[in-house]
Amino acid sequence: MPDPLPREFAEALESSRHRLGRLGSPVVFFSTIESTNDIASASARAGDCEGAVVIADRQTAGRGRRGHAWFSPAGSGLYVSIVLTPARARVEGDRATTLLPLAAGVALAEAIDRMTALRVDIKWPNDLLVARRKLGGILAEAVSAPLAPAACEKLEPEAKLTPTGAARELNTVDTVVVGYGINVGPMAYPPELSDRATSLALELKRPVARAQLWVETLAAMSRRYEDLLEGRFDAILDAWRERAPASRGACVTWNTPEGLQAGVTEGIDSRGALLVRVGDCTERIVAGEINWL
Amino acid sequence: MDLDQLKQILDLVRDYGLSEFEIDHEGLRLKVRKDVAGVAPAASAAGSAPAIVAPLPTGSASAGSLAAAVQGTAEPTKPGDAEIELEVVKSPIVGTFYRSPEPGAPSFVDVGSTVKKGQVLCIIEAMKLMNEIDSEYDGEIVNIYVENGQPVQYGERLFAIRMR
C-alpha cells in the first residue's frame, strides 16, 4: 500500500506544479518498496497512465540493467519511476522512443547541474558519472499498455503501417517506464561499490535536499519529454553530446559473437547509436556491454 | 499493379533478405513469406525462394488473376500450409535478445510452452531500453531461433508458434 507523500516532498511538488507539464499526476509514494519500476510497470499495464510518478524512500530490490542490483538504502537516494508514452510524438514516434533513454540522461544531468552546479558526465547511453564514479543510473522498460478511449482518438491512421512482425494492436500503445536512481546522501557503500560509486553529498561536501532535487528532476524530465513529443530531437542529441565527452575519442572494447572488439568512439548518430571507429570501418552499437578503457 | 511491379516486389524481398512482406494496394492484399524452419515442405523444397502465402484478392478480377499469377511464379504447390500451422515472431528492432527478465531467472517461454496473445516472450534491449516482445498469437512455442544474450537484427526470426 502506498504511504502519504512526506511533507517536504508534497510542498516541493506543489510549488513546482507549473513546471511539471504532464508529469506528476498521480504521484505514488512508498516508504519501502521492492522496486519502483515494478509498481510503475504494473500501473502501465493496467491502463493508460502517462505522467504517473512512483517514488520510494527505500528499495529492497532496486534493479539496474540485467539483474544488477541498485543499492537503495533509506533516505539516502532518489528512487523514482515515471510512466511515459513517447510513441505519441508528433513525428517519428519510434525515434522518440529510441531516444528516450538518452533524453532521460540529459534531463537528470541538467537537474543536478541546476540544483548543485555539479558537472555530471553522461556515459553512453545514460549513466551519470562524476570523475568516472557512478552517481546515478537509469533503467527504462517498455511495455504494451491498453489505451484509454480518449487517448485512442489521438492514434494516427498510419499506425496500421507498422511492419507485420512489429504490429501492435490498435488499442495498445508502447509505454515506457523510466526508472532512475541518484545517490544523494552520504552512504556506507558495500566494499565492492566504494571505489565505483559516489553521491552528491560526497562530491559537494554538503547535504542536498532530496525533495527539491526530486522536483528538479521531474521538471527537467518534463522539458526533455516535451522535446521528444514535439520532435525536437536535435536539441536532445546536441545536449547529450555536450555532456558526454567520452563519446568521442575514447578507447572502448565490447563483446561480439566473433570475440572481443576494440575501437575509438566517434560520437552518436541521429538515433543515439554509439559510433566506434575500428580500423577503416565505423561500427554502430545499439546494445551490449561497453568497456571504457 | 501489374506483373512487372509484382516481380519488382519479389526481387526486393529476395535482395533485402526479408522473411516476410505484406502490402495492401488498391484492393489487392499480398503477403510474401519465406520458408519457416522446414515446417512447410513445399516451401522447403523451394529453397530460399519467397513463398507466397494466402494472397487475399478482394473482388476485382484483375486482382484475382494477379494473385494466381504470383502463386504460379514462385510457389507451385499449396501455399497455405505455413500460414495455417505456424506463425513466426520476428524482432521489431535491432538489439540484444534475452529470454529471461534477468540473469538466473526462469525463461519467459521454452520450446513446448503454451502461450497466449499478449504474453511476454522475451526482452530485446536497445539503447538500454528493455523492450518486452509480446506474443500476437495463442499457441505453442515450437522453435526458438536465437540464443540468450545474442544480438538480433530487425526482422530476424525469434520464435515459431504453432497456432491454436
Side-chain angles (χ1 to χ4, degrees):
Chain A
M1 284 291 288
D3 301 296
L5 190 63
R7 201 183 69 186
E8 69 270 26
F9 283 82
E11 289 173 358
L13 182 67
E14 285 317 310
S15 67
S16 291
R17 274 277 180 209
H18 61 285
R19 296 195 289 144
L20 302 189
R22 300 160 202 253
L23 270 58
S25 302
V27 170
V28 185
F29 174 83
F30 295 87
S31 38
T32 297
I33 196 70
E34 290 190 350
S35 150
T36 56
N37 258 34
D38 288 349
I39 299 288
S41 297
S43 307
R45 272 181 236 282
D48 180 28
C49 53
E50 180 191 30
V53 174
V54 179
I55 173 170
D57 194 48
R58 168 176 175 255
Q59 294 185 113
T60 56
R63 289 184 286 123
R65 189 182 152 279
R66 294 306 298 163
H68 293 172
W70 187 264
F71 183 57
S72 314
S76 297
L78 274 186
Y79 318 116
V80 183
S81 294
I82 305 175
V83 181
L84 299 172
T85 50
R88 285 186 182 144
R90 290 159 55 95
V91 292
E92 296 185 84
D94 63 326
R95 188 175 170 204
T97 303
T98 301
L99 290 178
L100 177 59
L102 273 69
V106 168
L108 294 185
E110 288 172 337
I112 293 165
D113 195 342
R114 183 183 170 114
M115 170 107 182
T116 68
L118 183 67
R119 178 75 195 186
V120 176
D121 288 341
I122 301 173
K123 187 178 83 171
W124 186 87
N126 58 13
D127 280 342
L128 301 177
L129 304 182
V130 178
R132 299 186 68 131
R133 290 184 183 214
K134 194 148 170 175
L135 178 73
I138 296 168
L139 177 65
E141 299 180 282
V143 301
S144 286
L147 271 182
C152 282
E153 292 165 15
K154 296 181 202 161
L155 259 190
E156 301 292 335
E158 283 78 2
K160 282 187 271 188
L161 296 178
T162 43
T164 310
R168 297 287 186 184
E169 293 292 310
L170 282 178
N171 59 351
T172 68
V173 63
D174 285 337
T175 298
V176 181
V177 172
V178 177
Y180 56 94
I182 299 176
N183 303 328
V184 182
M187 293 192 192
Y189 291 110
E192 67 273 21
L193 292 183
S194 59
D195 60 344
R196 292 192 286 128
T198 189
S199 73
L200 290 175
L202 274 174
E203 296 296 330
L204 297 164
K205 313 276 192 293
R206 62 176 168 84
V208 171
R210 279 193 308 152
Q212 196 56 45
L213 178 64
W214 173 59
V215 294
E216 286 300 336
T217 62
L218 294 185
M221 283 282 196
S222 174
R223 274 198 309 276
R224 290 306 184 181
Y225 181 51
E226 287 301 321
D227 281 346
L228 286 177
L229 293 181
E230 294 299 317
R232 295 188 288 265
F233 303 130
D234 285 344
I236 290 165
L237 291 166
D238 289 346
W240 189 95
R241 291 180 177 115
E242 204 245 317
R243 290 179 182 274
S247 66
R248 280 194 165 275
C251 295
V252 293
T253 62
W254 68 100
N255 282 306
T256 71
E258 292 78 40
L260 194 70
Q261 283 255 40
V264 178
T265 56
E266 277 197 326
I268 54 171
D269 70 9
S270 62
R271 295 183 77 91
L274 182 67
L275 304 174
V276 181
R277 167 72 68 176
V278 182
D280 293 335
C281 304
T282 298
E283 298 279 342
R284 184 175 181 274
I285 298 176
V286 299
E289 295 278 2
I290 311 284
N291 302 305
W292 304 73
L293 306 177
Chain B
M1 189 182 296
D2 58 27
L3 270 177
D4 280 346
Q5 288 174 308
L6 279 169
K7 192 163 180 309
Q8 282 174 15
I9 289 173
L10 292 177
D11 288 345
L12 283 171
V13 169
R14 187 185 58 230
D15 294 348
Y16 284 90
L18 302 178
S19 51
E20 187 168 321
F21 177 86
E22 192 169 348
I23 188 170
D24 196 341
H25 181 69
E26 293 177 356
L28 171 69
R29 181 160 164 247
L30 174 70
K31 191 170 182 177
V32 182
R33 179 181 306 190
K34 278 194 187 175
D35 173 25
V36 280
V39 178
S44 292
S48 61
I52 314 298
V53 178
L56 295 175
T58 51
S60 83
S62 64
S65 57
L66 275 179
V70 173
Q71 285 182 32
T73 303
E75 184 47 74
T77 47
K78 287 187 294 180
D81 293 355
E83 175 77 353
I84 296 164
E85 282 293 318
L86 211 61
E87 290 288 351
V88 174
V89 178
K90 291 185 244 21
S91 180
I93 52 171
V94 178
T96 306
F97 173 83
Y98 293 114
R99 286 186 54 193
S100 63
E102 53 193 66
S107 298
F108 291 110
V109 294
D110 294 295
V111 170
S113 296
T114 301
V115 295
K116 293 205 167 305
K117 193 173 175 180
Q119 183 175 337
V120 177
L121 300 175
C122 65
I123 286 174
I124 297 177
E125 177 188 4
M127 311 290 292
K128 225 167 104 182
L129 173 61
M130 304 294 164
N131 295 276
E132 290 181 347
I133 307 301
D134 301 338
S135 177
E136 293 168 37
Y137 317 103
D138 291 336
E140 179 191 343
I141 302 287
V142 294
N143 202 352
I144 301 174
Y145 297 102
V146 185
E147 296 283 322
N148 185 55
Q150 292 302 303
V152 291
Q153 298 300 317
Y154 176 81
E156 189 169 337
R157 298 179 303 180
L158 304 176
F159 300 93
I161 298 178
R162 181 178 294 131
M163 303 278 280
R164 281 282 153 88

